[in-house]
Amino acid sequence: MKKVIKTGLPEIDAALGGGLINRGNLLISYDRRSLGWVLALKIFKNLLNQIAVGVIFNTTLPLSKLKLRAGYLGIDFEEEGSKGNLYIIDILGSKYNIPQDESYVYQIKDWSDETALPKLIRLYQELATKIPKDKIIVGLVATLEGLYHEFGERFMNNTIKASLASFEKGELKKLNMVTISLLNREAVPHHITAWLYSLSDQVIEFTSQMTPEGLKETVVIPKSLLPGFRTKCYTIKISEKEEVALF
């Protein structure tokens, strides 16, 4: 079993201490103006194009809106789904009974908070049988704040803990996989952010800042459990300040 999975972005791999930890959790945390979510989709796309089958855990948006965001970076759900490269577990659509006809979209039938978790674990097990054993699974949680706001703190905590436990049992324990989770940390209480940082094996944190020169982002990588890792900090210039006559 591989110990490290390369993202296809050499700078990110080096900053994390070599790449993504196999069977590990990468948390990408950002604020409301940040483009941190773009990095998550770039890594997801790179892995799809190279070695992985993607599984998106959708908690926040109807799939039409999620497709718009994926399309921004050139990820075609229909194309990847038809090739067996992509599956979506549509939690939001399950709760609100939004019908989906696509064969790559899975929903929990007859939604209730009491039965959703065991049904979700069965979905994991079902998907595991459809993915070739020589493939790496890249899971994308979109998003953690959506899980908190749509389903509540208790359901979010139980879902995360049940998912972590399920991956340590049976056939799921044998999979090569990595999970990437998106978090707008401004949208959840501080204790939720602290708990999610503690659970994650690797963390990339984006913080945006308006300056006289324009919009900048500070990127901090405070945590990676790979041997020899050292905390990294970078600055990215997102856009120059411009003048425009609107009135």
Side-chain angles (χ1 to χ4, degrees):
M1 180 176 286
K2 294 182 179 181
K3 294 183 178 180
V4 176
I5 297 169
K6 299 296 185 181
T7 67
L9 301 171
E11 297 86 354
I12 296 299
D13 288 334
L16 289 170
L20 303 175
I21 298 171
N22 191 9
R23 298 188 60 78
N25 307 298
L26 169 65
L27 176 67
I28 298 184
S29 164
Y30 46 89
D31 59 32
R32 65 185 182 276
R33 287 191 298 249
S34 173
L35 293 178
W37 63 274
V38 173
L39 175 63
L41 286 179
K42 281 189 174 182
I43 295 173
F44 187 78
K45 180 182 179 181
N46 282 352
L47 293 176
L48 282 188
N49 290 341
Q50 296 172 32
I51 55 173
V53 171
V55 178
I56 298 176
F57 187 81
N58 177 49
T59 69
T60 306
L61 296 167
L63 287 189
S64 61
K65 301 296 185 183
L66 190 64
K67 289 176 182 178
L68 281 176
R69 285 151 178 78
Y72 173 74
L73 289 172
I75 303 174
D76 187 322
F77 281 4
E78 278 74 21
E79 179 181 351
E80 299 297 341
S82 67
K83 294 189 296 187
N85 291 339
L86 176 70
Y87 298 93
I88 297 174
I89 299 177
D90 185 20
I91 301 298
L92 186 80
S94 300
K95 178 179 179 181
Y96 290 105
N97 195 27
I98 303 172
Q100 299 293 338
D101 297 327
E102 293 90 340
S103 60
Y104 59 89
V105 178
Y106 288 74
Q107 292 183 328
I108 294 173
K109 305 301 182 184
D110 303 316
W111 176 273
S112 76
D113 291 350
E114 291 73 26
T115 62
L117 274 181
K119 290 180 179 179
L120 177 62
I121 301 306
R122 287 196 291 271
L123 268 184
Y124 291 158
Q125 295 166 342
E126 181 182 347
L127 280 177
T129 66
K130 297 179 180 293
I131 297 173
K133 301 301 182 185
D134 61 337
K135 287 284 190 178
I136 291 170
I137 299 173
V138 53
L140 179 66
V141 181
T143 62
L144 287 171
E145 73 271 11
L147 189 58
Y148 173 82
H149 283 286
E150 288 291 343
F151 302 91
E153 181 174 347
R154 181 179 178 183
F155 184 87
M156 180 192 74
N157 291 349
N158 289 341
T159 299
I160 292 173
K161 289 184 288 187
S163 297
L164 288 173
S166 71
F167 296 144
E168 299 298 319
K169 302 174 184 178
E171 291 299 313
L172 296 177
K173 188 176 182 179
K174 303 174 184 178
L175 298 176
N176 291 296
M177 62 179 296
V178 63
T179 302
I180 303 170
S181 298
L182 293 170
L183 173 68
N184 181 341
R185 62 182 178 274
E186 291 188 343
V188 298
H190 291 308
H191 74 275
I192 297 293
T193 300
W195 182 65
L196 293 170
Y197 274 48
S198 296
L199 287 179
S200 301
D201 303 309
Q202 297 175 298
V203 177
I204 303 177
E205 179 181 299
F206 288 77
T207 302
S208 62
Q209 180 184 10
M210 286 301 303
T211 71
E213 293 78 30
L215 181 63
K216 294 183 178 180
E217 289 220 48
T218 300
V219 184
V220 179
I221 303 180
K223 183 179 183 181
S224 177
L225 300 182
L226 289 174
F229 166 78
R230 297 179 63 185
T231 299
K232 302 293 192 304
C233 183
Y234 307 97
T235 299
I236 302 173
K237 182 177 286 187
I238 301 298
S239 64
E240 299 283 353
K241 187 176 181 180
E242 300 180 40
E243 293 186 4
V244 59
L246 293 179
F247 305 103

